[in-house]
Amino acid sequence: MSESVYKIIELVGTSTESWEKAAMNAINRASKSLRDLRIAEVSQLDMHIKDGKVEAYRAKVKVSFKFEG
């Protein structure tokens, strides 16, 4: 493995269905503008609640990608 540098950013994905879909939504969106995504780590899960019901699932995701700067 050659020497490399990676940048880590934090994203929040949302879904009305599940935390898994919320995390996937974050990664799918990131992959449209970032290249060479490497690792994704779900760091926090929470829910948006309205009138006593879950309105949305949210996943905070740390994503790393190769730094080319």
Side-chain angles (χ1 to χ4, degrees):
M1 181 175 182
S2 64
E3 294 180 3
S4 300
V5 174
Y6 297 89
K7 182 163 180 71
I8 298 172
I9 61 170
E10 213 167 42
L11 305 169
V12 176
T14 62
S15 168
T16 57
E17 297 178 37
S18 69
W19 283 305
E20 290 85 1
K21 286 200 175 195
M24 285 190 294
N25 288 340
I27 298 306
N28 288 340
R29 178 59 185 93
S31 69
K32 292 179 181 180
S33 60
L34 299 172
R35 293 183 300 156
D36 212 6
L37 297 178
R38 296 297 177 115
I39 302 290
E41 173 189 352
V42 176
S43 61
Q44 185 177 346
L45 300 172
D46 62 30
M47 294 176 278
H48 181 255
I49 299 170
K50 185 174 181 181
D51 298 325
K53 295 183 182 178
V54 174
E55 191 166 82
Y57 296 89
R58 300 185 329 167
K60 186 181 286 185
V61 183
K62 293 181 181 180
V63 180
S64 70
F65 55 96
K66 196 168 185 178
F67 186 69
E68 298 176 5

